[in-house]
Amino acid sequence: MPCPVLTIDGPSGVGKGTVAKILARELGWHYLDSGALYRIVACAAMERGVDLTDGAALAVVASDLDVSFDLIGPDGEVILLAGHDITAEVRSEACSRGASIVAARPEVRAALLTRQKQFRQLPGLVAEGRDMGTVVFPDAALKIFLTASPEERALRRHKQLNQKGLGVSLSALSQQMQERDQRDSSRAEAPLVAAADALQVDTTQLSVEQVVAVIRDLAKKVAYLR
Ligand code: C5P
């Protein structure tokens, strides 16, 4: 039997990261924050002065990332690049914007594909992003696609950034998220789209605990995830 995978995809600010981390912890499974990989490529490229539209140079950056992820606290995560804690930096607006630019380059996606697949290890993996169910783990046992209204997503991201001390105005954030969603949905390579066999959950009116409960119940119905 293949190593089980639960994929959680959806647009920015929908709460994928929060629920994916809680579920990974509950199940005792590994966790893949694929968006962080694109963010780290953008951060590292900017640090090295690499043009964010130069696919070949970006692929080199993506191929030799010395990165590791640690889950801490109830739903926290620490991201280390070459041993340095870059957790706060990767959430900055510059890295968020950069991530969606580099993520449109096929060379970058190809360079990150093998690395993402390597996260699939026993006893199982919870993987979150934009193309987990469509491209990276098309054979996942359970695929979830989360949605929420654009207003609610901007509010959630605003609250999250404020809690991390990364203050930004709600209207500016809302506009940046719309731009990013537009770029992610319209790109040719692995656009943001629900897999045909994904179960869609509208989270606009749901709390984090309610979303986790919905996914937990769905997972119980999939024999090999139990
Ligand atoms: O999920 P997060 O907001 O951290 O993702 C940052 C960016 O990385 C997204 O806007 C998207 O462009 C890109 N991404 C992607 N495919 C994924 C995960 C993220 O293209 N699987």
Side-chain angles (χ1 to χ4, degrees):
M1 191 183 291
C3 174
V5 184
L6 161 60
T7 61
I8 305 180
D9 288 305
S12 51
V14 78
K16 308 180 291 290
T18 308
V19 299
K21 283 190 271 263
I22 294 173
L23 286 160
R25 200 175 294 276
E26 267 189 30
L27 290 160
W29 285 9
H30 299 280
Y31 164 64
L32 168 59
D33 174 357
S34 60
L37 292 175
Y38 291 95
R39 288 169 180 272
I40 295 165
V41 171
C43 277
M46 287 188 283
E47 255 168 35
R48 295 183 203 175
V50 171
D51 179 348
L52 294 189
T53 60
D54 181 344
L58 290 169
V60 173
V61 175
S63 304
D64 63 34
L65 288 179
D66 172 14
V67 64
S68 68
F69 299 89
D70 282 329
L71 283 184
I72 46 142
D75 72 344
E77 175 191 29
V78 173
I79 303 172
L80 300 174
L81 181 63
H84 296 290
D85 185 343
I86 55 158
T87 318
E89 194 184 336
V90 295
R91 296 285 148 208
S92 67
E93 182 41 37
C95 285
S96 302
R97 188 170 172 276
S100 88
I101 295 173
V102 302
R105 308 302 312 186
E107 301 92 332
V108 174
R109 305 202 75 85
L112 292 181
L113 191 60
T114 314
R115 186 184 286 269
Q116 293 175 86
K117 287 181 187 285
Q118 285 165 350
F119 279 77
R120 186 174 194 170
Q121 286 179 23
L122 289 169
L125 174 69
V126 179
E128 55 117 336
R130 306 290 187 292
D131 62 344
M132 298 297 97
T134 49
V135 176
V136 185
F137 303 108
D139 63 334
L142 178 62
K143 302 179 185 180
I144 304 291
F145 192 86
L146 298 181
T147 62
S149 70
E151 297 75 21
E152 178 61 24
R153 292 192 289 113
L155 281 172
R156 286 179 191 171
R157 184 49 66 86
H158 189 243
K159 193 172 155 204
Q160 194 181 39
L161 290 176
N162 276 341
Q163 279 167 351
K164 291 185 172 150
L166 298 165
V168 49
S169 90
L170 182 59
S171 60
L173 181 65
S174 193
Q175 195 182 336
Q176 288 155 4
M177 286 173 66
Q178 273 176 38
E179 272 172 34
R180 213 141 56 86
D181 286 346
Q182 168 63 19
R183 202 166 22 234
D184 289 348
S185 308
S186 61
R187 69 184 174 216
E189 192 85 10
L192 168 63
V193 64
D197 52 350
L199 300 167
Q200 300 217 19
V201 181
D202 182 348
T203 69
T204 309
Q205 308 285 344
L206 302 181
S207 67
V208 168
E209 293 72 25
Q210 286 170 322
V211 179
V212 169
V214 169
I215 301 177
R216 193 188 292 126
D217 286 348
L218 290 168
K220 282 185 190 146
K221 295 188 182 127
V222 180
Y224 101 86
L225 284 181
R226 264 184 263 143

